[in-house]
Amino acid sequence: MSNKREREYERRRQEKWQARQAEAALRRRRRVVAGSVVGALVLVIGIVAAVVAGSSDDTPAAYATDGAPLDATAPAAEQTPAAEPTNSEAVPDPALAEGREWTGELTLNAGALGITLDGAAAPQAVANFVTLAENGFFDGTTCHRLTTENIYVLQCGDPDATGMGGPGYSWGPIENAPADDTYPAGTIAMARQSNNGSSMGSQFFIVYETSKIPSDQAGGYTVFGQVTSGLDVVKAIADAGTAQGSSDGSPVSDVIIEGVKIQ
């Protein structure tokens, strides 16, 4: 990253951080509400179907009229999830991934993670993540979801910390999903709505222990990066458990992304 880009990144990061701090109290209140929603979701569709459900804030067609996620166990004909991305003109150009490996650091309030991103295997996901990171989008956001049974992930990237937020657009299709549905420890992948391969936005999940995550009607989940160091930070968060005392909920202590630097 050039000095000019670094200065611009720091300026944007500081502005974003200040805005996020001002909204912190509101996010915490929303987080409590989100925990209740997660609990209800688990009762309806189970942890395997629910764990990697993510949404853009502009994809209402994938939700029932009351705002609750559609039941993933219902027949496909009853679900009618949105098949097309929303606000496609706002989605970063996949060419920005440059078809190369990117390296960087994702800093949580609990510690730093070294990461690599595969711009060749998942160009749209990497272009999206790099663009959001350089704009400070993730700074000050809360990792809102932790699962500790059957599937072992920490989910982040929602500016509202509700599991319903996003960057104002969605995109697809799915890229670089594992053929055997196995996501090794350290995998970084995109969250999305069940059965909707065009519903990715900004939410992503970090796999801290190798997990088998079954594909649904849309396929698997876009793998775009790896944690190369600091996975023990995420494992420690998982070891502390959830605020609800369940195997699927918000981390017991706030997990905040302080910044993401990519080069």
Side-chain angles (χ1 to χ4, degrees):
M1 190 182 295
S2 67
N3 290 336
K4 182 178 180 181
R5 289 182 69 188
E6 285 184 354
R7 289 194 297 271
E8 180 63 15
Y9 168 82
E10 289 299 333
R11 183 185 67 78
R12 290 175 177 173
R13 182 176 181 277
Q14 287 300 319
E15 290 177 350
K16 203 74 173 181
W17 174 255
Q18 291 170 0
R20 297 290 187 203
Q21 288 295 97
E23 297 171 358
L26 177 59
R27 284 203 315 273
R28 282 193 290 270
R29 288 195 295 272
R30 286 173 171 169
R31 179 169 165 264
V32 172
V33 174
S36 299
V37 172
V38 168
L41 183 62
V42 171
L43 290 174
V44 174
I45 64 178
I47 186 170
V48 172
V51 65
V52 287
S55 71
S56 163
D57 53 0
D58 288 316
T59 52
Y63 289 87
T65 54
D66 62 356
L70 291 170
D71 184 354
T73 64
E78 297 177 15
Q79 297 202 31
T80 62
E84 298 295 329
T86 57
N87 296 335
S88 297
E89 70 283 353
V91 179
D93 186 342
L96 294 173
E98 301 176 2
R100 67 176 176 89
E101 181 178 271
W102 297 68
T103 61
E105 186 173 81
L106 189 160
T107 303
L108 304 175
N109 58 335
L113 312 180
I115 61 174
T116 60
L117 309 178
D118 192 341
Q124 182 61 84
V126 171
N128 181 69
F129 189 86
V130 169
T131 298
L132 292 175
E134 289 185 343
N135 289 333
F137 178 89
F138 298 116
D139 299 358
T141 58
T142 299
C143 294
H144 62 281
R145 192 170 198 176
L146 174 69
T147 64
T148 61
E149 185 177 328
N150 299 322
I151 293 174
Y152 307 95
V153 306
L154 176 68
Q155 190 165 324
C156 310
D158 179 356
D160 299 328
T162 62
M164 302 283 281
Y169 58 78
S170 66
W171 53 271
I174 295 163
E175 304 173 299
N176 196 37
D180 63 356
D181 290 340
T182 298
Y183 297 77
T187 296
I188 306 173
M190 293 302 303
R192 60 173 175 82
Q193 296 166 355
S194 297
N195 303 313
N196 188 347
S198 294
S199 60
M200 290 171 280
S202 59
Q203 292 187 44
F204 63 94
F205 59 94
I206 299 168
V207 182
Y208 62 88
E209 183 177 326
T210 298
S211 301
K212 193 87 168 181
I213 306 176
S215 297
D216 59 18
Q217 293 173 14
Y221 299 86
T222 294
V223 173
F224 68 96
Q226 296 289 324
V227 175
T228 57
S229 65
L231 191 59
D232 57 319
V233 171
V234 184
K235 290 179 177 178
I237 292 168
D239 287 344
T242 68
Q244 296 78 17
S246 64
S247 60
D248 184 0
S250 55
V252 68
S253 298
D254 284 347
V255 178
I256 309 295
I257 296 178
E258 295 183 344
V260 184
K261 286 191 175 182
I262 306 292
Q263 60 184 4

